[in-house]
């Protein structure tokens, strides 16, 4: 579409109309922009990053078309076209609405409290067998996500599946206009009180607005308040129920099968799930497929392949210094694009390889499909492509980067190619079983992993950012392997999210980060005096905490790097005391070559209400010291004091920067928010199950005793993995298949015994050590310590897997 057309659709003011570019890609995240003139950048105002701030750098990069709401000086951008509107988000929505109107096809719109994304993914998997389907990427269902999804509609698509989510009254109308669904699915309604709505009824009424112009609507008969609301709409209501003949579709279980009775016909399906949530989602999905006229055979074939957790990207360490990005469960064009964006977010290694299977997508000319893929791979600077499958091999001429082809996964594994120092994206259709490729490439582990959820970390980061006043900078503490989580990956994530500083305890931690490509400023709290020269080499900023340290530092560095002065105000750890300040000022005076980038202190009790007077006293002492030093320096270094608990409890002391630690990793030690998400799950496996008789002793020193006939399981974790001996002898429980199992006997170095008498447990089953349940807080209580110690104790031999949903 030409920019001039966009201008007339949006009634926008066209600045620089002599540059009328053809655009086809919309970008609102500056980090995802490339140098293509076909991209239209939409400058959205955000709470912390305003899209308009990135225009100069994007122009440098090569972006030439911008949708803006703040007037710019066109003289600064002689080659670019600008469209000026009053609200860029509304303009984006209007553009998507216009785009949607160009197509006449069945469009499924999904809303509800839970299950939207999974029903969308599953339904698309069924429909993809026969049709060319477009769907919302990931869970793009917001005011921004919906227009971005609908923009992907193309002429070749035959059916669309989009999801829509709202958080307050008044939002759905716009989403309805953009999606214009013809068939609706209302999954369910949560009973949690939602602050954006007056009442549960208001919440249902708002969501139901998505279906204002639908022809048909699907919901579950048991959700009576939804049925009542939907009854007011024009659309034909299709309800389903389990053994409920009064439902439009009566689903009758029969052994491991389910018979669907619909319009006088019976269809029988075998379903690979049993928990009620999965069942509700699959019943919505199958109902929609039947209503759309899909054949029973197609439905059953697709259902056999479904997994309860779709769309999971996992980052793992591989052999020979590689990182594996595992996305081996589905393969479509949008999904590839998302995975490639993610690869950019984790630039672990310079060299990037993609292992890609055939894209089993009907309806698209293979030439067009594979040249589109090539363009995408080129845009992301992929160095090397490995294709698996007859189609991709046959179309290898479409690729401009070095290509290696294999007709099957088996062929690939048999030739066992080697990889070194690269990041490898593995992406394939389920039929190709590329999980075998991932298994071949990944670092072997002994069954114990710490699974870390990227979205949860990003969410927690956002929670803290929302606490910050404008202009307050954010340092994130990544000391001790990022609180035990995995420093390299966390640092890359933080760099991607543009935090201002990283903080570490020791020099080697900082040097590792630099070697792994981290360019953010880094403060080091406790540098060994013998290594000051390395600070310059790696552009690192030390904490200076005493007069003798400062003197020595100035003596041995020719070109001293900027420093942070630590002021002692009551913690009685490192820091200059009030008595030192005059001497300190003199030294600063005599050494104008020394740049002080920060002055800081640390509160001993920012989380404790009964010590608030002490915290105020610390802040007052700090203020005085800062004033003195800033005056002596003649400029104002970054002033910082707060840790995570302080950010929540002491907005008045945010100063110029805060230092976030444990909060990012999911714990609010201040007790003021319940918005944080738990970010990590420590998991292991059952190695063996053993029957025991009453009176048998278990483990070292015979500390465990079977008090009845039963069975124990031996699990692959011990104190060398960070599972403290304090957890032994029933002081802790773990979860096996959703059931609590207490420890029995002493914890060993590499193994632990648990009591699984009467539980559903088999050898090889997964065991949760901590996560949602039991959580780290519970473990901390059992071991009479704090969550910090539980987290940082997980030893480095435990493999970290980073998951993105
Ligand atoms: C570790 C640390 C922090 C972060 O503390 P949390 O309680 O984890 O938020 C902040 N400042 C300094 C100086 C630290 O050592």
């Amino acid at each position: 579409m030409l920019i001039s057309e966009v201008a007339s659709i949006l009634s926008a003011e066209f600045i620089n109309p002599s540059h009328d570019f053809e655009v086809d890609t919309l970008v609102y995240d500056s980090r995802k922009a490339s140098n293509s003139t076909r991209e239209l950048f939409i400058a959205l105002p955000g709470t912390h990053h305003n899209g308009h701030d990135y225009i100069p750098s994007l122009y440098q990069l090569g972006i030439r078309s911008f949708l803006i709401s703040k007037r710019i000086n066109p003289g600064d951008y002689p080659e670019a076209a600008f469209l000026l509107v009053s609200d860029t988000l509304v303009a984006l929505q209007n553009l998507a609405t216009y785009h949607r109107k160009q197509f006449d096809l069945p469009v499924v719109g999904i809303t509800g409290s839970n299950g939207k994304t999974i029903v969308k993914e599953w339904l698309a998997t069924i429909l993809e067998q026969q049709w060319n389907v477009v769907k919302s990427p990931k869970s793009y269902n917001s005011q921004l996500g919906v227009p971005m999804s609908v923009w992907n509609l193309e002429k070749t698509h035959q059916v669309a599946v989009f999801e829509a989510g709202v958080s307050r009254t008044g939002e759905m109308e716009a989403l309805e206009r953009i999606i214009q669904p013809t068939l609706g699915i209302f999954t369910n309604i949560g009973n949690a009180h939602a602050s954006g709505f007056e009442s549960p009824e208001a919440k249902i009424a708002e969501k139901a607005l998505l279906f204002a112009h639908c022809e048909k609507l699907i919901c579950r008969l048991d959700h009576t308040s939804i049925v009542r609301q939907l009854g007011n709409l024009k659309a034909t209501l299709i309800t389903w129920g389990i053994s409920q003949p009064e439902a439009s579709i009566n689903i009758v279980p029969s052994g491991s099968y389910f018979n669907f009775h619909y319009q006088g016909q019976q269809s029988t399906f075998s379903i690979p799930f049993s928990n009620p949530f999965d069942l509700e989602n699959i019943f919505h999905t199958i109902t929609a497929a039947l209503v759309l006229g899909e054949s029973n055979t197609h439905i059953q074939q697709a259902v056999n392949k479904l997994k309860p957790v779709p769309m999971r990207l996992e980052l793992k360490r591989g052999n020979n210094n590689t990182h594996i990005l595992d996305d081996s469960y589905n393969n479509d064009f949008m999904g590839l694009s998302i995975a490639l964006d993610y690869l950019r977010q984790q630039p672990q290694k310079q060299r990037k390889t993609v292992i890609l299977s055939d894209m089993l997508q009907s309806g698209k000319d293979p030439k067009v499909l594979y040249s589109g893929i090539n363009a995408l791979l080129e845009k992301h600077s992929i160095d090397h492509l490995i294709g698996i499958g007859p189609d991709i091999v046959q179309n290898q001429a479409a690729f401009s980067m070095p290509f290696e082809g294999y007709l099957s996964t088996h062929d690939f594994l048999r030739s066992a190619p080697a990889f070194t120092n690269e990041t490898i994206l593995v992406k394939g259709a389920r039929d190709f079983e590329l999980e075998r490729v991932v298994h071949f490439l990944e670092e072997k582990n002994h069954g114990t992993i710490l699974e870390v959820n990227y979205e949860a970390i990003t969410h927690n980061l956002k929670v803290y950012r929302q606490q910050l006043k404008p202009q307050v900078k954010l340092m994130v503490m990544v000391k001790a392997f990022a609180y035990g989580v995995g420093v390299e990956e966390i640092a890359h994530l933080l760099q991607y999210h543009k935090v201002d500083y990283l903080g570490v305890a020791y020099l080697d931690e900082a040097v590792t980060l630099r070697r792994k490509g981290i360019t953010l400023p880094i403060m080091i709290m406790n540098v060994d005096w013998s290594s000051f020269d390395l600070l310059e080499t790696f552009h690192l900023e030390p904490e200076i905490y005493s007069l003798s340290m400062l003197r020595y530092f100035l003596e041995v560095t020719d070109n001293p790097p900027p420093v942070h002065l630590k002021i002692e105000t009551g913690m009685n750890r490192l820091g200059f005391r009030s008595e030192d300040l005059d001497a300190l000022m003199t030294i600063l005076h005599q050494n104008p070559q020394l740049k002080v980038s920060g002055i800081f202190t640390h509160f001993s009790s920012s989380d404790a209400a009964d010590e608030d007077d002490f915290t105020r006293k610390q802040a007052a002492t700090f203020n005085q010291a800062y004033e003195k030093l800033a005056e002596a320096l003649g400029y104002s270094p970054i002033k910082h004091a707060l840790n995570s608990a302080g950010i929540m409890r002491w907005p008045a002391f945010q100063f110029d920067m805060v230092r976030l630690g444990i909060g990012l990793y999911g714990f609010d030690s201040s007790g003021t928010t319940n918005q944080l998400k738990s970010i990590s799950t420590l998991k292991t496996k059952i190695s063996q199950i053993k029957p025991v008789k009453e009176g048998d002793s278990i483990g070292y020193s015979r500390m465990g005793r079977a008090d009845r006939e039963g069975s124990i399981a031996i699990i692959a974790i011990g104190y060398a993995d960070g599972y403290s001996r304090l957890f032994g002898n029933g002081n802790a429980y773990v979860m096996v298949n959703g059931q609590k199992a207490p420890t029995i006997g002493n914890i060993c170095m590499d193994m632990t015994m648990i009591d699984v008498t009467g539980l559903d447990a088999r050898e090889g089953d997964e065991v949760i050590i901590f996560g949602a349940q039991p959580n780290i807080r519970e473990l901390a209580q059992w071991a009479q310590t704090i969550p910090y110690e539980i987290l940082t104790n997980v030893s480095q031999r435990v493999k970290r897997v980073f998951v993105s949903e």
Side-chain angles (χ1 to χ4, degrees):
M1 192 181 283
L2 286 167
I3 291 288
S4 53
E5 292 174 62
V6 180
S8 82
I9 293 164
L10 300 179
S11 313
E13 179 183 339
F14 191 174
I15 305 172
N16 259 0
S18 54
H19 295 296
D20 198 3
F21 294 102
E22 176 84 29
V23 290
D24 52 25
T25 307
L26 305 180
V27 187
Y28 61 87
D29 183 339
S30 61
R31 296 165 303 201
K32 294 187 178 156
S34 70
N35 59 357
S36 161
T37 58
R38 301 186 72 87
E39 292 183 0
L40 171 63
F41 180 76
I42 299 155
L44 297 168
T47 33
H48 267 269
H49 294 287
N50 189 322
H52 292 85
D53 298 342
Y54 298 104
I55 294 174
S57 58
L58 290 168
Y59 182 74
Q60 284 266 310
L61 181 70
I63 297 286
R64 288 294 174 261
S65 307
F66 298 89
L67 181 64
I68 54 173
S69 59
K70 247 168 51 186
R71 203 169 269 285
I72 44 82
N73 177 10
D76 296 344
Y77 312 98
E79 313 252 296
F82 287 89
L83 297 178
L84 180 67
V85 293
S86 57
D87 183 325
T88 44
L89 179 62
V90 171
L92 168 64
Q93 295 178 341
N94 291 341
L95 187 60
T97 305
Y98 172 87
H99 186 66
R100 165 70 183 89
K101 288 216 175 81
Q102 312 309 306
F103 302 93
D104 183 18
L105 77 175
V107 174
V108 183
I110 307 173
T111 194
S113 296
N114 296 302
K116 294 187 285 291
T117 304
I118 204 124
V119 170
K120 176 206 71 191
E121 289 296 327
W122 285 354
L123 183 58
T125 305
I126 295 177
L127 299 175
E128 264 161 19
Q129 319 230 5
Q130 206 182 346
W131 313 106
N132 194 3
V133 184
V134 59
K135 64 180 183 191
S136 325
K138 298 210 240 182
S139 45
Y140 278 29
N141 60 29
S142 66
Q143 298 290 309
L144 179 57
V146 166
M148 293 304 287
S149 303
V150 170
W151 183 254
N152 291 320
L153 251 175
E154 288 175 19
K155 276 203 212 67
T156 51
H157 291 130
Q158 296 162 306
V159 54
V161 190
F162 296 125
E163 56 178 290
V166 291
S167 50
R168 64 179 69 84
T169 301
E171 288 186 337
M172 192 56 99
E173 202 185 324
L175 303 187
E176 193 279 331
R177 217 165 8 91
I178 306 168
I179 298 178
Q180 296 162 38
T182 56
L183 169 65
I185 305 175
F186 200 135
T187 58
N188 52 44
I189 200 85
N191 40 21
H193 170 71
S195 57
F197 304 96
E198 258 172 37
S199 63
E201 288 71 33
K203 187 156 113 184
I204 298 176
E206 177 67 24
K207 289 179 193 261
L209 289 177
L210 178 62
F211 309 126
H213 301 97
C214 272
E215 290 147 25
K216 291 178 182 164
L217 275 179
I218 294 168
C219 76
R220 180 178 187 166
L221 187 62
D222 279 347
H223 296 324
T224 43
S225 39
I226 298 180
V227 173
R228 205 175 320 117
Q229 281 277 355
L230 297 186
N232 300 332
L233 297 170
K234 285 198 304 277
T236 313
L237 188 60
I238 300 164
T239 56
W240 62 261
I242 302 169
S243 300
Q244 288 167 305
E246 64 277 30
S248 330
I249 298 190
N250 182 17
I251 303 169
V252 184
S254 151
S256 62
Y257 290 87
F258 291 88
N259 296 316
F260 285 60
H261 298 271
Y262 177 44
Q263 295 183 331
Q265 307 266 352
Q266 179 181 316
S267 316
T268 302
F269 300 107
S270 137
I271 288 173
F273 309 121
S274 54
N275 95 49
F277 303 106
D278 292 335
L279 282 179
E280 177 171 295
N281 291 331
I282 193 75
F283 292 156
H284 279 308
T285 308
I286 294 180
T287 300
L290 289 171
V291 170
L292 287 165
E294 199 50 82
S295 77
N296 292 355
T297 329
H298 278 142
I299 295 177
Q300 184 67 63
Q301 274 170 2
V303 166
N304 292 342
K305 291 192 281 184
L306 298 180
K307 297 227 166 38
V309 194
M311 304 286 291
R312 240 171 84 121
L313 277 151
E314 297 186 351
L315 182 71
K316 306 169 178 178
R317 295 190 189 160
N319 300 315
N320 304 325
N321 196 27
T322 56
H323 263 86
I324 319 294
L325 190 50
D326 175 4
D327 193 8
S328 54
Y329 290 119
N330 69 43
N331 198 14
D332 59 67
F333 195 76
M334 243 355 259
L336 177 62
S337 167
I338 290 169
L340 288 166
D341 273 336
Y342 187 80
L343 193 62
R344 180 179 333 199
Q345 179 176 337
Q346 280 295 324
Q348 302 290 347
K349 307 286 172 324
Q350 283 271 314
R351 187 177 154 81
K352 290 182 269 183
T353 293
V354 172
I355 300 180
L356 188 68
S357 80
D358 284 356
M359 211 170 260
L360 304 174
Q361 220 169 7
S362 50
K364 227 178 185 165
D365 173 4
K367 281 227 164 57
V368 177
L369 178 64
Y370 287 101
S371 69
I373 293 175
N374 183 56
L376 203 55
L377 297 174
E378 268 188 346
K379 170 174 161 181
H380 288 270
S381 320
I382 299 304
D383 300 290
H384 181 200
L385 175 65
I386 294 178
I388 299 183
D391 273 9
I392 194 164
V393 169
Q394 198 180 8
N395 288 284
Q396 58 181 285
F399 299 109
S400 54
M401 65 280 316
F403 180 91
E404 229 174 283
Y406 299 90
L407 288 174
S408 68
T409 306
H410 182 71
D411 281 1
F412 171 87
L413 291 172
R414 208 173 36 193
S415 75
F419 301 86
T420 346
N421 297 325
E422 51 199 304
T423 306
I424 307 162
L425 168 64
V426 182
K427 179 130 187 79
R430 263 168 219 162
D431 296 0
F432 283 89
E433 298 182 345
L434 292 195
E435 58 270 24
R436 288 160 56 207
V437 171
V438 172
H439 196 66
F440 163 73
L441 297 172
E442 80 187 304
E443 239 176 22
K444 295 300 167 269
N445 66 69
H446 53 273
T448 304
I449 59 165
L450 184 73
E451 193 178 278
V452 183
N453 183 317
Y454 268 139
E455 267 80 32
I457 297 175
T458 308
H459 168 89
N460 293 342
L461 183 64
K462 201 162 138 193
V463 169
Y464 281 93
R465 274 195 160 146
Q466 280 165 351
Q467 298 296 318
L468 300 187
K469 299 175 192 165
Q471 315 304 331
V472 174
K473 290 182 194 297
L474 179 63
M475 175 186 287
V476 179
M477 306 311 284
V478 293
K479 58 198 182 195
F481 298 103
Y483 288 53
V485 170
V487 70
E488 188 185 338
E489 294 83 357
I490 296 293
H492 273 289
L493 185 73
L494 294 168
Q495 180 156 292
Y496 179 77
H497 285 296
K498 300 187 155 91
V499 306
D500 301 284
Y501 259 93
L502 297 178
V504 297
Y506 297 108
L507 183 78
D508 55 334
E509 299 178 310
V511 170
T512 305
L513 290 177
R514 284 283 181 261
R515 293 221 159 100
K516 302 287 184 187
I518 297 298
T519 52
L520 288 172
I522 301 177
M523 180 182 90
I524 310 172
M525 294 190 292
N526 203 349
V527 182
D528 189 82
W529 294 19
S530 63
S531 349
F532 283 153
D533 52 328
L534 287 175
L535 295 169
E536 269 178 84
T537 318
F538 290 100
H539 302 283
L540 301 168
E541 303 178 16
E543 160 182 335
I544 301 283
Y545 52 77
S546 70
L547 292 171
S548 48
M549 182 188 197
L550 181 58
R551 288 194 188 103
Y552 186 74
F553 176 74
L554 287 165
E555 200 177 303
V556 299
T557 49
D558 303 328
N559 220 337
V563 302
H564 293 256
L565 302 175
K566 173 74 172 287
I567 309 300
E568 166 59 47
T569 57
M571 174 86 174
N572 274 319
R573 216 164 57 175
L574 301 178
F576 291 98
R577 297 163 310 143
S578 316
E579 295 87 321
D580 302 329
L581 291 183
D582 289 332
L584 175 57
M585 289 195 295
T586 312
I587 303 178
L588 293 176
H589 251 302
Q590 291 163 345
N591 292 279
Q593 82 280 17
L594 180 71
K595 181 167 180 281
V596 177
S597 58
I599 300 179
F600 75 111
T601 192
H602 195 59
F603 296 142
S604 70
S605 316
S606 64
D607 57 345
D610 50 355
E611 293 292 356
D612 280 356
D613 284 342
F614 188 74
T615 303
R616 280 190 206 96
K617 230 162 68 197
Q618 278 197 279
T621 312
F622 178 51
N623 275 328
Q624 278 171 7
Y626 181 89
E627 293 308 324
K628 264 189 174 170
L629 294 170
E631 199 183 312
L633 288 166
Y635 57 88
S636 306
I638 302 171
K639 182 177 180 186
H640 49 115
L642 296 180
N643 67 351
S644 306
I647 299 173
M648 287 293 168
R649 296 194 63 240
W650 293 102
F653 302 147
Q654 288 181 3
F655 305 126
D656 304 320
M657 182 159 79
V658 297
R659 302 186 304 272
L660 175 62
I662 192 90
L664 182 76
Y665 309 98
F667 295 93
D668 166 40
S669 38
S670 74
T672 49
T673 177
N674 53 11
Q675 286 185 65
L676 299 183
K677 291 190 176 161
S678 134
I679 64 151
S680 54
T681 307
L682 181 61
K683 295 177 170 177
T684 186
K685 291 212 164 113
I686 296 183
S687 310
Q688 192 184 16
I689 293 198
K690 238 188 206 138
V692 285
K693 295 190 300 292
E694 183 177 342
D696 279 358
S697 68
I698 293 149
Y700 281 118
S701 313
R702 308 190 64 199
M703 282 297 285
R705 292 286 170 163
D707 55 9
R708 66 205 149 147
E709 190 173 330
S711 48
I712 59 164
I714 296 95
I715 60 175
I717 189 169
Y719 56 79
D721 299 292
Y723 198 54
S724 165
R725 282 184 88 248
L726 294 169
F727 295 128
N729 298 306
N731 286 330
Y733 70 84
V734 297
M735 296 297 283
V736 182
N737 299 321
Q739 313 153 95
K740 285 186 187 177
T743 59
I744 184 164
N746 281 327
I747 308 280
C748 313
M749 187 185 290
D750 313 302
M751 281 175 261
T752 292
M753 278 68 88
I754 58 175
D755 184 353
V756 293
T757 306
L759 303 187
D760 166 23
R762 273 150 304 195
E763 293 179 353
D765 280 358
E766 185 176 274
V767 178
I768 308 278
I769 307 297
F770 66 65
Q773 192 195 4
N775 61 39
I776 299 188
R777 231 178 253 289
E778 286 172 83
L779 270 78
Q781 263 166 21
W782 298 332
Q784 295 181 23
T785 180
I786 50 178
Y788 295 72
E789 192 178 346
I790 302 293
L791 259 181
T792 53
N793 270 358
V794 177
S795 88
Q796 288 302 305
R797 88 169 179 194
V798 173
K799 191 169 159 171
R800 270 69 174 166
V801 174
F802 295 81
V803 175
S804 173
E805 257 134 47

